[in-house]
């Protein structure tokens, strides 16, 4: 993941609520086993609507409430990122979608509706992650809006860090936790312990037949 | 200090600040290939294959295709075969095509006894909240997080806020768990629970079977919630006992003793709390393109003019246009061409039994194509042992193989543009069940009645035509 510091450029606008992940990328385009190439399917069906007017190729997308609702598919942020977007500014974002964005270097920003509308109307904006600001307007009449972001997420995005590497740094704590759980009265189920034979005597494959 | 059920589970799984341990990671073919590839590139193993379980579900055809190699769609075949190869390489147990334990990930976990109270569970699927019905903390994650959990068995997660939805009153006759959750979403909106872990409580919840509780928790995400959960009780313990992965003997007693502590303490507070009056509920039918666009079967489709807020009015206009409705129609006057009975929301044995009771001795209406898709091969086997397959086929239903099927339109089971469907699934989004398809979400009983009538009909006044199918 590339580090993010400043995102600057034109703004696309999708001024509606509840833009769900099926609109962002329909499920039938999720059959690839690679991470790349989903951009061409961004808004594949939604863009056929007569009132559709979202410019693709800009770094910033503005939208309404509950953007990214629905499925956990990371294909949605992959498609947005692959199509060139670097930041999503919405009045609110669905939880899993917002989390997924931060894993692929797409900056999720929540701002009040009047500010999102101003940014969309300005048509261009400059986002500074370190300062947590979105700026619009000409130099003599600059407007600045501040957004919130979790400190840990911000640090990771600013430095383009890999979550897994960071967590494996806590290897000692994870191992200690696992040892304590294994020694407890109820260590939890094991998928490897599933019996190989069903109650009706039929063979149950834990690996598929050839 | 009094604690919520959510607090208790969270605290016993904190490995460090903002890092929680995951007891079970369920994996399927669509959201995992890039995660396994990431491990391979970094030279990392799966840390705990014993806490990981995979199944093929989203992509599988439901026509009885016996093995992955016979899947006709090349991309789907590749995805399922890739899952099998990845699981073999990394030592993860997998139920793929050909296994009689294959099925929808959220049906397989509970029926194998892998879902137990007090656990933390994740899966690269937003309907993972289903497992919260057992008093566990279960939620959907993206593919980067799938890779993270495979590598570390932990998840980086800021503790979400807490919310309780109290279902007040006794459930009226003919009103189901599906109507309860659709009623709650209709009341709070599709973003009503964003950022929150939701506990469902109240006498109507306590009286539900595990299947009903799973239906409710399953659709927590449709209200924007991070996870849904229900405190475990004797109903839960009875369901888990005897399942393949359930503890036995002294371990069972120890487990139940632990599970009995899993409830929200008297006086514990939630960040948010709402009441939903179940006595006011009738069977629900969605009319639009988000699950909160929902009314009772005895109601009418709202007109755009009935919305004061211009944004809501615009949304209703777009939804009505997509759905081919004007507004003002009586729900019972809406005709359907397709019926889908299945999915992780309503594809369990109890769901199929409830539907079979409605159709027993009747025929599917002319011009309606109705399909039943058991949630897993085990559900299919159990249903056939009860003779449900014969009830469905005698009525003219298509009896299919296990899988996600027409819930999400990424396998051969899809709606054609303009087709209208009574569906027991969870999302009525535009194009969800196939491009241009029109989805109305309902309970299994309501879907069955609609199949017979050819239009929506109030199942409460739909007299049984035959003997009850099974107790």
């Amino acid at each position: 993941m590339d580090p993010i510091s400043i995102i600057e450029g034109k703004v696309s606008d999708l001024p509606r609520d509840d833009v769900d992940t099926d609109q962002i990328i329909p499920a039938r385009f999720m059959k690839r086993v690679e991470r790349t190439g989903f951009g061409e399917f961004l808004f594949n069906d939604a863009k056929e609507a007569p009132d559709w007017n979202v410019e693709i190729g800009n770094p910033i997308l503005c939208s309404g409430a509950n953007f990214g609702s629905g499925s956990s598919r990371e294909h949605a942020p992959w498609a947005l990122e692959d199509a060139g977007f670097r930041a999503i500014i919405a009045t609110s974002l669905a939880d899993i979608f917002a989390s997924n964005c931060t894993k692929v270097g797409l900056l999720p920003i929540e701002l009040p509706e009047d500010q999102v509308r101003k940014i969309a109307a300005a048509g261009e904006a400059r986002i500074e992650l370190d300062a947590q600001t979105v700026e619009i307007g000409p130099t003599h009449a600059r407007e600045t809006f501040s957004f919130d972001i979790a400190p840990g997420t911000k640090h990771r995005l600013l430095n383009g860090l890999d979550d897994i590497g960071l967590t494996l740094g806590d290897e000692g704590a994870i191992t200690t936790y696992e040892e304590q759980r294994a020694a407890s009265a109820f260590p939890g189920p094991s998928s490897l312990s599933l019996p190989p034979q069903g109650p009706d005597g039929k063979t149950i494959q834990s690996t598929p037949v050839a | 200090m009094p604690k919520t059920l959510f607090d208790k589970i969270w605290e016993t799984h904190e490995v460090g600040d903002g890092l929680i341990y995951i007891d079970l990671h369920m994996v399927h073919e669509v959201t995992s290939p890039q995660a396994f590839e990431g491990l391979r590139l970094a030279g990392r193993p799966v840390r705990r294959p014993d806490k990981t379980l995979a199944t093929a579900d989203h992509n599988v055809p439901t026509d009885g295709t016996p093995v992955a190699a016979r899947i006709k769609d090349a991309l789907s075949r590749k995805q399922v075969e890739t899952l099998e190869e990845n699981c073999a390489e990394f030592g993860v147990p997998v139920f793929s095509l050909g296994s009689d334990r294959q099925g929808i990930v959220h049906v397989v976990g509970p029926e194998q006894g892998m879902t137990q109270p007090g656990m933390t569970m994740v899966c690269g699927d937003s309907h993972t909240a289903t497992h919260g019905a057992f008093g566990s903390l279960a939620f959907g994650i993206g593919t980067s997080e799938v890779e993270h959990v495979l590598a570390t068995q932990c998840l980086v997660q800021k503790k979400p806020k807490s919310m309780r939805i109290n279902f007040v009153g006794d459930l009226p006759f003919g009103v189901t768990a599906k109507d309860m959750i659709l009623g709650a979403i209709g009341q709070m909106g599709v973003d009503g629970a964003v950022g929150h872990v939701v506990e469902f409580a109240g006498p109507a919840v306590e009286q539900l079977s595990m299947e009903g509780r799973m239906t409710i928790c399953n659709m927590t995400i449709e209200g924007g919630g991070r996870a849904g959960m229900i405190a475990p009780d004797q109903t839960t313990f009875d369901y888990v006992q005897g399942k393949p992965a359930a503890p036995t003997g002294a371990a069972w007693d120890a487990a139940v003793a632990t599970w009995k502590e899993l409830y929200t303490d008297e006086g514990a507070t939630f960040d948010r709390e709402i009441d939903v009056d179940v006595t006011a509920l009738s069977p629900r039918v969605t009319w639009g393109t988000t699950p909160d666009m929902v009314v009772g079967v005895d109601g009418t489709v709202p007109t755009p003019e009935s919305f004061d807020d211009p944004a809501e009015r615009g949304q209703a206009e777009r939804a009505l246009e997509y759905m081919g409705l004007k507004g003002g129609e009586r729900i019972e006057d809406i005709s359907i061409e397709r019926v889908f009975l299945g999915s992780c929301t309503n594809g369990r044995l109890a769901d199929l039994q409830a539907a079979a009771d409605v159709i027993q001795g009747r025929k599917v209406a002319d011009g309606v194509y109705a399909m039943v898709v058991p949630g897993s091969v085990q559900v299919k086997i159990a249903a056939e042992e009860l003779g449900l397959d014969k009830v469905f086929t005698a009525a003219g239903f298509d009896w299919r193989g296990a899988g996600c099927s027409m819930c999400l339109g990424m396998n051969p089971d899809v709606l054609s543009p303009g087709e209208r469907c009574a569906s027991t699934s969870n999302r009525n989004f535009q194009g969800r069940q196939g491009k241009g398809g029109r989805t109305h979400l309902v309970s299994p009983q309501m879907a069955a009645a609609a199949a017979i009538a050819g239009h929506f009909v109030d199942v409460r006044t739909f007299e049984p035509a035959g003997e009850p199918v099974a107790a």
Side-chain angles (χ1 to χ4, degrees):
Chain A
M1 187 169 79
D2 295 331
I4 298 175
S5 61
I6 290 164
I7 299 166
E8 188 168 21
K10 291 178 74 179
V11 178
S12 299
D13 192 21
L14 179 50
R16 61 175 73 162
D17 295 341
D18 304 319
V19 175
D20 59 66
T21 48
D22 280 273
Q23 288 178 56
I24 297 172
I25 179 167
R28 64 182 187 279
F29 300 116
M30 289 160 40
K31 293 181 183 179
R32 312 169 78 110
V33 296
E34 299 85 19
R35 236 175 228 261
T36 51
F38 291 101
E40 63 175 301
F41 307 118
L42 179 66
F43 301 125
N44 190 81
D45 298 347
K47 68 186 176 194
E48 288 178 15
D51 61 345
W52 187 263
N53 184 27
V54 179
E55 218 176 298
I56 302 296
N58 298 334
I60 300 165
L61 177 66
C62 283
S63 193
N66 202 28
F67 186 88
S69 53
S71 107
S72 65
R73 61 188 72 160
E74 201 160 304
H75 308 68
W78 287 339
L80 287 159
E81 195 262 352
D82 195 46
F85 290 109
R86 295 290 171 263
I88 309 293
I89 304 176
T91 51
S92 69
L93 294 155
D95 290 333
I96 307 177
F97 175 81
S99 167
N100 284 342
C101 283
T102 69
K103 313 291 180 185
V104 307
L106 193 59
L107 181 61
I109 296 174
E110 289 183 332
L111 286 174
E113 190 178 359
D114 60 321
Q115 296 182 8
V116 178
R117 288 296 99 225
K118 277 187 178 174
I119 295 164
E124 281 187 46
R126 174 186 164 91
I127 303 167
E128 275 193 46
L129 176 55
D130 199 24
Q132 297 180 213
T133 54
V134 182
E135 289 179 38
I136 55 167
T139 327
H140 61 277
R142 205 76 172 147
E143 270 195 283
T144 303
F145 311 117
S146 297
F147 61 88
D148 287 331
I149 186 166
T153 306
K154 178 178 171 179
H155 175 72
R156 232 171 16 81
L157 288 174
L158 278 172
N159 298 287
L161 295 176
D162 167 15
D163 252 351
I164 298 175
L166 292 175
T167 300
L168 288 175
D170 284 333
E171 173 63 37
I174 301 172
T175 304
T176 303
Y177 181 87
E178 287 179 328
E179 286 168 356
Q180 285 168 355
R181 278 295 295 278
S184 71
F186 177 59
S190 161
S191 59
L192 296 178
S193 76
L194 286 171
Q197 204 75 25
D200 55 358
K202 283 186 195 164
T203 305
I204 287 172
Q205 292 98 11
S206 59
T207 50
V209 290
Chain B
M1 201 180 104
K3 291 174 185 169
T4 64
L5 167 62
F6 168 46
D7 290 334
K8 290 177 183 180
I9 299 176
W10 184 269
E11 285 172 11
T12 53
H13 288 85
E14 266 185 314
V15 173
D17 190 28
L19 190 66
I20 59 166
Y21 196 77
I22 301 302
D23 293 324
L24 180 64
H25 182 192
M26 308 270 311
V27 172
H28 66 84
E29 77 277 18
V30 179
T31 57
S32 69
Q34 296 86 353
F36 281 113
E37 180 65 11
L39 292 185
R40 203 175 284 119
L41 291 173
R44 290 170 175 145
V46 171
R47 184 182 180 91
R48 297 296 298 264
D50 60 323
K51 294 184 184 295
T52 313
L53 180 61
T55 169
D57 56 7
H58 283 61
N59 252 321
V60 303
T62 59
D63 59 0
T65 301
V67 288
R70 301 257 190 95
I71 297 176
K72 292 186 192 79
D73 182 290
L75 290 170
S76 293
R77 184 171 66 242
K78 170 83 175 159
Q79 236 175 19
V80 177
E81 287 181 334
T82 301
L83 177 74
E84 295 176 356
E85 288 159 15
N86 284 332
C87 288
E89 179 182 342
F90 288 92
V92 172
V94 56
F95 304 139
S96 190
L97 279 190
S99 163
D100 60 6
R101 293 188 185 191
Q102 175 266 332
I104 307 175
V105 61
H106 311 309
V107 177
V108 168
E111 80 187 5
Q112 291 303 317
M114 289 300 297
T115 304
Q116 297 175 13
M119 292 170 61
T120 48
M121 299 179 58
V122 293
C123 174
D125 189 281
S126 61
H127 291 110
T128 308
T130 310
H131 307 267
F134 291 78
S136 61
L137 176 62
F139 48 87
I141 56 176
T143 298
S144 294
E145 290 173 321
V146 169
E147 183 182 342
H148 188 277
V149 178
L150 288 172
T152 68
Q153 204 57 35
C154 293
L155 187 70
V156 178
Q157 185 78 7
K158 185 167 161 269
K159 189 179 179 186
K161 288 183 279 194
S162 63
M163 176 171 177
R164 181 159 61 187
I165 296 182
N166 300 298
F167 287 103
V168 181
D170 290 321
L171 204 57
F173 168 77
V175 179
T176 68
K178 184 67 163 283
D179 305 309
M180 290 167 68
I181 188 64
L182 283 172
I185 295 165
Q187 184 176 321
M188 70 182 174
V190 287
D191 56 357
V194 167
H196 293 74
V197 166
V198 182
E199 181 176 344
F200 298 100
V205 172
E206 290 162 22
Q207 285 156 21
L208 288 176
S209 66
M210 287 313 298
E211 287 85 351
R213 296 180 191 187
M214 283 189 256
T215 299
I216 289 190
C217 289
N218 173 277
M219 289 189 68
T220 312
I221 184 74
E222 268 59 69
R226 196 80 182 88
M229 50 179 26
I230 292 170
D233 58 13
Q234 197 58 44
T235 304
T236 321
F237 309 148
D238 290 345
Y239 183 97
V240 175
Q241 192 164 27
K243 294 279 188 293
T248 54
W252 170 259
D253 296 336
V256 172
T258 314
W259 297 343
K260 283 186 171 167
E261 300 301 315
L262 296 170
Y263 54 85
T264 291
D265 296 331
E266 192 84 33
T269 54
F270 291 81
D271 294 307
R272 197 168 163 226
E273 203 153 3
I274 66 166
D275 289 346
V276 176
D277 178 8
V278 301
T279 64
L281 288 178
S282 54
R284 304 280 98 180
V285 181
T286 64
W287 55 267
T289 53
T290 54
D292 60 349
M293 293 177 168
V294 64
V295 293
V297 63
D298 41 4
T300 55
V301 178
T303 57
E305 297 74 42
S306 65
F307 294 90
D308 293 333
D309 178 52
E312 278 183 42
R313 197 179 312 136
Q315 234 179 336
E317 276 169 6
R318 268 198 303 275
L320 288 171
E321 175 164 355
Y322 180 83
M323 292 297 289
L325 297 168
K326 292 187 171 63
E329 296 93 339
R330 290 176 63 236
I331 293 291
E332 291 202 80
D333 290 340
I334 298 174
S335 298
I336 48 127
E337 290 105 42
R338 299 282 296 264
V339 172
F340 171 57
L341 194 57
S343 86
C344 59
T345 312
N346 282 127
R348 296 181 182 80
L349 186 61
D351 300 311
L352 304 194
Q353 282 176 303
D357 271 340
V358 173
I359 64 162
Q360 171 88 303
R362 294 185 158 106
K363 291 279 182 199
V364 170
D366 286 344
V368 174
Y369 169 63
M371 63 198 294
V372 194
V373 184
S376 70
V377 177
Q378 289 292 307
V379 168
K380 186 170 194 232
I381 291 170
E384 288 174 354
E385 278 171 4
L386 292 173
L388 299 190
D389 56 326
K390 293 191 179 62
V391 174
F392 282 112
T393 51
F397 274 79
D398 192 1
W399 179 252
R400 311 285 297 180
C404 293
S405 184
M406 209 166 67
C407 178
L408 85 164
M410 79 175 296
N411 55 66
D413 302 340
V414 288
L415 295 178
S416 301
E419 270 189 325
R420 189 179 299 283
C421 180
S423 178
T424 66
S425 56
N426 42 58
R427 290 193 179 128
N428 52 348
F429 295 163
Q430 288 190 19
R432 169 79 179 179
Q433 294 194 292
K435 191 178 173 188
R438 293 163 173 164
T439 304
H440 296 271
L441 302 176
V442 288
S443 70
Q445 291 90 326
M446 284 288 291
I452 303 299
H455 55 86
F456 290 108
V457 54
D458 191 339
V459 73
R460 294 173 300 179
T461 54
F462 208 61
E463 293 296 330
E467 293 298 311
V469 174

